[in-house]
């Protein structure tokens, strides 16, 4: 009886949307919420990511809140160099005529390229420079509550009964699809080195030397240089996400599947969150490795807190963020001294910042002002971006760009896509970057980039050990 009632409710939602579509002569969003049984969100992702052209997964740090979205009811994007607020404007137009039943707010998920002035390279061909997606089906679970949101764009020609049946059948297929058996024979290809980077270390370190020379000539205050590394590996992104959930519970866990590519990671850095008019962001800059025992770890953390080089780099990021917040916010709180953010392989200097957004300023306005922050780009911002385009020799794609969500009220949260990798058939491309100031040393920066890449390397190594044990 309950299933028939829920089916009838979805059909009613679609019929209301169809009446509006017929009146407006344009498509209308129908969004319907229904309670559902609890499922492991990572298992849902792992069992279905290969069968859907578009899939997303999002989890907030240290919480039991997950969202897994399948398909695309609609996508909102802008061309390279376009205004991000255009996406939010179009989102509000879509919502103005929508039919929403269930007391929820529809949510968009997606991301932005690090450099939205550039068209994607072949590696990132499936990832537009700026796109937020409204999934057809979104499974949410938080603490002891789980529910499904069904989103359908309805026209005057929509067969509401058939659309409801198809949505129900699709969800039943998603929750009943078993996990595929791992193909251990093809999991690891020859020549994979988990401990060392295959990137030409000397070449990248020379780029660091050149960048530091530019800083010494006062052409820049700071610049972030990134590099990538490629592993010939064919493994399930779902297995990687399980590892990241276990070992990085304090990170933003994310995954975006588009066609045959999957970009995923466990980011320690929130770029911006907006809730109840309050904007939150963090400055995360300055890094040191973790120690193998308490005494060594304590000493490394204390050295980081007292490092003139790292405190200067961190100070630049804090002041840059404050200057932006003061333009778009009231009551920007004065920051406390930096604290340590300790992760499994690395620790950072971290300073939380907040303010209350001014009237007429939306989340994507603030997002576009904050990105790229000095933590992933440099200062002065325009000069640093120009230097990166001309000298880095890398298409970062969505690496170091904002990824996250935006809801119907204009609230949302975006993280910086760090500790991440792009999975394509038979290959994984890892990314890491380092903030350079006048006191930066090439060997130290290269070592730091290797530590950052170990987040995904260790996840792949863990999967490989399971494969060896099974073999």
């Amino acid at each position: 009886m309950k299933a028939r009632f829920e089916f009838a409710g979805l059909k009613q939602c679609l019929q209301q949307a169809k009446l509006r579509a017929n009146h407006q002569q344009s498509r209308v969003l129908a969004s319907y919420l229904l309670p559902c049984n609890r499922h492991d969100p990572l298992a849902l992702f792992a069992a279905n990511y290969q069968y859907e052209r578009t899939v997303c997964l999002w989890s907030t740090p240290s919480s039991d809140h997950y969202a897994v979205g399948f398909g695309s009811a609609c996508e909102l994007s802008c061309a390279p160099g376009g205004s991000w607020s255009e996406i939010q404007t179009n989102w509000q137009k879509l919502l103005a005529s929508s039919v929403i039943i269930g007391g929820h707010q529809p949510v968009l998920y997606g991301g932005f390229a690090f450099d939205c002035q550039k068209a994607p390279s072949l590696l990132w061909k499936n990832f537009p420079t700026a796109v937020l997606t409204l999934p057809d089906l979104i499974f949410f679970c938080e603490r002891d509550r789980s529910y499904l949101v069904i989103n359908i764009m309805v026209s005057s020609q929509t067969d509401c009964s058939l659309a409801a049946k198809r949505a129900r059948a699709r969800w039943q297929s998603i929750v009943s699809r078993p996990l595929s058996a791992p193909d251990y024979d093809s999991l690891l290809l020859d020549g994979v080195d988990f401990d060392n980077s295959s990137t030409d270390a000397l070449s990248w370190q020379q780029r660091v030397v050149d960048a530091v020379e530019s800083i010494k000539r006062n052409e820049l205050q700071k610049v972030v240089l990134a590099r990538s590394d490629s592993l010939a590996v064919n493994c399930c992104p779902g297995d990687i996400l399980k590892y990241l959930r276990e070992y990085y519970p304090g990170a933003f866990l994310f995954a975006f599947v588009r066609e045959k590519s999957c970009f995923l990671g466990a980011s320690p850095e929130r770029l911006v969150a907006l809730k109840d008019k309050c904007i939150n962001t963090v400055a995360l800059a300055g890094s040191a490795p973790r120690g193998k025992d308490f005494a060594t770890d304590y000493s490394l953390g204390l050295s980081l807190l007292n490092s003139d080089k790292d405190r200067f780099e961190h100070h630049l990021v804090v002041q840059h963020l404050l200057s932006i917040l003061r333009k778009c916010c009231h009551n920007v709180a004065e920051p406390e001294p930096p604290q340590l953010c300790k992760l499994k392989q690395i620790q950072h200097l971290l300073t939380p910042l907040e303010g209350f957004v001014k009237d007429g300023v939306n989340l994507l306005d603030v997002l576009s002002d904050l990105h790229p922050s000095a933590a992933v780009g440099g200062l002065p911002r325009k000069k640093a971006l120009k230097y990166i385009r001309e000298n880095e020799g890398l298409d970062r794609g969505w690496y170091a760009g904002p990824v996250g969500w935006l809801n119907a009220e204009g609230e949302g949260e975006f993280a910086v896509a760090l500790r991440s990798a792009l999975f394509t058939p038979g290959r994984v491309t890892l990314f890491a970057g380092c903030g350079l100031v006048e006191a930066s040393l090439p060997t130290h920066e290269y070592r730091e980039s290797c530590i950052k890449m170990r987040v995904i390397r260790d996840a792949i190594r863990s999967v490989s050990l399971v494969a060896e044990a099974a073999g």
Side-chain angles (χ1 to χ4, degrees), residues 140-370:
F140 293 93
C141 63
E142 47 191 16
R143 300 181 181 89
D144 58 350
R145 182 183 180 220
S146 57
Y147 55 95
L148 174 70
V149 172
I150 302 172
N151 298 304
I152 298 175
M153 295 300 299
V154 177
S155 74
S156 59
Q157 304 301 314
T158 298
D159 183 329
C160 297
S161 180
L162 180 60
K165 288 178 180 177
R166 284 177 173 171
R168 183 174 60 178
R170 186 175 175 196
W171 177 242
Q172 290 173 343
S173 176
I174 285 172
V175 297
S176 62
R177 187 169 282 137
L179 283 169
S180 300
D183 183 3
Y184 292 127
D185 290 337
S186 64
L187 178 62
L188 298 177
L189 306 183
D190 292 337
V192 176
D193 187 343
F194 292 107
D195 297 311
N196 299 296
S197 171
S198 60
T199 299
D200 188 336
L202 293 179
S203 174
W204 191 79
Q205 289 179 63
Q206 182 58 52
R207 291 183 180 183
V208 172
V209 171
D210 296 341
V212 170
E213 287 300 317
S214 293
I215 294 170
K216 289 179 178 179
R217 292 194 297 268
N218 295 318
E219 296 169 1
L220 300 165
Q221 284 183 289
K222 173 188 175 180
V223 67
V224 179
L225 282 189
R227 67 183 187 86
S228 67
D229 199 5
S230 181
L231 302 179
V233 176
N234 195 21
C235 58
C236 171
D239 292 335
I240 305 302
L241 290 171
K242 289 178 183 177
Y243 175 93
L244 296 176
R245 177 173 65 176
E246 180 178 356
Y247 289 100
Y248 296 90
F252 292 91
L253 188 65
F254 63 87
F256 296 93
V257 175
R258 298 183 66 86
E259 300 295 342
K260 298 297 184 181
S261 301
C262 177
F263 179 58
L264 61 78
S267 174
E269 184 174 351
R270 169 190 285 156
L271 181 56
V272 64
L274 173 61
K275 183 175 178 58
D276 297 329
K277 295 284 188 176
C278 183
I279 286 283
N280 286 278
T281 185
V282 298
L284 192 79
S287 307
R290 295 297 305 273
K292 293 183 178 180
D293 54 65
F294 176 82
T296 305
D297 192 59
Y298 179 83
S299 177
L300 288 168
L302 190 62
S303 296
L304 178 59
L305 286 169
N306 294 323
S307 164
D308 290 339
K309 178 261 182 187
D310 290 289
R311 289 293 289 262
F312 175 68
E313 179 187 349
H314 188 80
H315 174 76
L316 291 177
V317 175
V318 170
Q319 294 306 309
H320 177 242
L321 292 175
L322 282 174
S323 68
I324 294 170
L325 289 183
R326 286 168 180 155
K327 292 177 183 177
C328 62
C329 293
H330 301 290
N331 304 323
V332 177
E334 286 300 314
E336 299 289 332
Q339 56 192 260
L340 290 176
C341 171
K342 289 182 176 286
L343 304 172
K344 188 172 185 290
Q345 305 287 359
I346 196 168
Q347 50 192 320
H348 302 283
L349 296 177
L350 180 148
T351 300
L353 302 166
E354 70 173 32
F356 288 86
V357 70
K358 295 178 180 178
D359 291 340
V361 177
N362 66 48
L363 177 57
L364 294 192
D365 286 332
V366 180
L367 187 69
S368 62
D369 285 343
L370 288 173

Side-chain angles (χ1 to χ4, degrees), residues 28-176:
V28 169
L29 168 64
S31 186
Y32 184 74
L33 178 147
L34 66 159
C36 67
N37 294 330
R38 189 175 182 88
H39 303 276
D40 180 345
L42 297 190
L44 274 185
F45 176 92
N48 290 280
Y49 79 95
Q50 296 181 82
Y51 299 92
E52 299 278 347
R53 294 180 62 185
T54 307
V55 185
C56 64
L57 179 139
W58 179 266
S59 176
T60 304
S62 303
S63 76
D64 191 26
H65 174 85
Y66 285 87
V68 190
F70 302 94
S72 173
C74 71
E75 288 194 338
L76 302 175
S77 61
C78 63
S83 171
W84 293 359
S85 62
E86 188 181 309
I87 294 176
Q88 192 149 355
T89 298
N90 291 333
W91 176 226
Q92 294 304 316
K93 288 179 181 178
L94 177 66
L95 291 167
S97 62
S98 62
V99 176
I100 302 170
I101 296 179
H104 65 289
Q105 297 183 50
V107 183
L108 300 172
Y109 293 90
F112 301 80
F114 169 78
D115 188 350
C116 282
Q117 303 293 326
K118 295 170 58 176
S121 66
L122 187 61
L123 179 66
W124 290 95
K125 64 180 181 179
N126 295 322
F127 291 82
T129 57
V131 64
L132 296 181
T133 301
L134 178 67
D136 298 319
L137 303 170
I138 314 179
F139 171 74
F140 293 93
C141 63
E142 47 191 16
R143 300 181 181 89
D144 58 350
R145 182 183 180 220
S146 57
Y147 55 95
L148 174 70
V149 172
I150 302 172
N151 298 304
I152 298 175
M153 295 300 299
V154 177
S155 74
S156 59
Q157 304 301 314
T158 298
D159 183 329
C160 297
S161 180
L162 180 60
K165 288 178 180 177
R166 284 177 173 171
R168 183 174 60 178
R170 186 175 175 196
W171 177 242
Q172 290 173 343
S173 176
I174 285 172
V175 297
S176 62

